[in-house]
Amino acid sequence: LLFTLIITDSSLYSAQWDYQDNKPVLFSLVKVKFHSALSSIRSKPDEIQNDLRTAISQVEEINNVQGMTCNLILDGSLTEKDSINIGEISDKNDIKYFLLWTLRKRWGAQANLLSFTFIPGKINYYYFAFSRLILTQLNNILNESGLKNISFQPIELIFQTKGGENGILFKDGNSDSLICFTKTGIMSCKIVKRKNNFVLTDIIGN
């Protein structure tokens, strides 16, 4: 049995599920709204902790998952995303150094407040930046609840499914979003129809 939490700016979703015959089967799904939107209290540790702790305490399933692995998904509203062109660099250590150096140049001192996940591509490396404060508070609260091996990932990566599908098209407000995985990396865009024409806007990088 797998335990997943999805965190958006306004709500927490708790899901217990597993694979049966290589297909995902959902056993429970719970939604809890936060008292305050996380983006509105982003720099207030005590309020973030109270918001998260109150919401997680309302998930009854949390009492039955002690010792389980938790997969924590962060919605796009809580991440920044872009790409970095690595040119002809091939050594893994050199790539890592170059990525971190580039991020410090882009973000300045703010980079110290963020945690990053990298998705390799052939030319570009895609990165997702998370608030380190939110991640730390979530990790502490979930550890107190008995969950172990807590992993974090952006919501885009849940579309890279076990079944091998390489993309998904889904409704996102008044537009559609397309995310697919290719040999060169992540291809993603928003699709809006205007005056019988489709307008495509990049979601990640360029």
Side-chain angles (χ1 to χ4, degrees):
L1 196 63
L2 304 171
F3 184 70
T4 298
L5 289 176
I6 299 177
I7 309 292
T8 72
D9 190 35
S10 60
S11 304
L12 174 149
Y13 297 82
S14 166
Q16 284 187 289
W17 59 285
D18 208 342
Y19 284 100
Q20 294 184 356
D21 297 325
N22 271 338
K23 295 181 180 180
V25 177
L26 182 66
F27 297 104
S28 69
L29 178 64
V30 177
K31 176 184 178 181
V32 180
K33 287 189 66 67
F34 292 129
H35 178 71
S36 301
L38 294 180
S39 60
S40 69
I41 54 175
R42 190 183 294 267
S43 59
K44 300 176 180 178
D46 292 341
E47 291 189 34
I48 285 179
Q49 183 186 65
N50 183 63
D51 220 5
L52 294 171
R53 191 179 295 278
T54 299
I56 290 173
S57 69
Q58 296 179 55
V59 179
E60 292 184 4
E61 286 80 2
I62 207 78
N63 298 317
N64 304 317
V65 294
Q66 283 80 4
M68 289 179 59
T69 296
C70 177
N71 188 21
L72 184 58
I73 310 295
L74 294 180
D75 179 60
S77 61
L78 299 176
T79 65
E80 298 287 343
K81 25 195 175 291
D82 207 337
S83 63
I84 298 174
N85 189 314
I86 62 170
E88 298 181 356
I89 303 174
S90 58
D91 181 80
K92 289 184 177 180
N93 290 329
D94 289 343
I95 290 174
K96 181 179 179 181
Y97 177 84
F98 178 73
L99 292 173
L100 293 175
W101 177 85
T102 303
L103 290 169
R104 291 191 184 102
K105 288 292 184 180
R106 286 189 181 183
W107 291 87
Q110 191 178 359
N112 297 323
L113 305 177
L114 301 169
S115 293
F116 298 94
T117 291
F118 298 103
I119 311 298
K122 190 172 183 179
I123 299 174
N124 292 320
Y125 263 59
Y126 299 86
Y127 73 82
F128 298 84
F130 309 99
S131 164
R132 187 169 292 176
L133 173 59
I134 292 177
L135 294 188
T136 299
Q137 297 287 13
L138 280 168
N139 194 67
N140 291 340
I141 294 168
L142 294 174
N143 276 328
E144 291 173 8
S145 300
L147 287 161
K148 305 297 181 184
N149 302 319
I150 300 165
S151 63
F152 301 89
Q153 66 180 135
I155 197 168
E156 287 85 352
L157 294 192
I158 69 174
F159 303 125
Q160 196 174 23
T161 64
K162 183 177 179 180
E165 293 86 353
N166 64 358
I168 189 168
L169 178 68
F170 61 98
K171 196 72 177 174
D172 184 13
N174 294 323
S175 64
D176 292 308
S177 290
L178 172 67
I179 296 177
C180 57
F181 296 82
T182 72
K183 292 181 179 180
T184 58
I186 302 175
M187 304 292 289
S188 60
C189 63
K190 282 187 178 292
I191 306 171
V192 180
K193 188 174 183 180
R194 294 176 182 165
K195 297 181 179 179
N196 296 321
N197 292 316
F198 288 103
V199 178
L200 307 181
T201 306
D202 290 330
I203 297 175
I204 305 173
N206 51 20

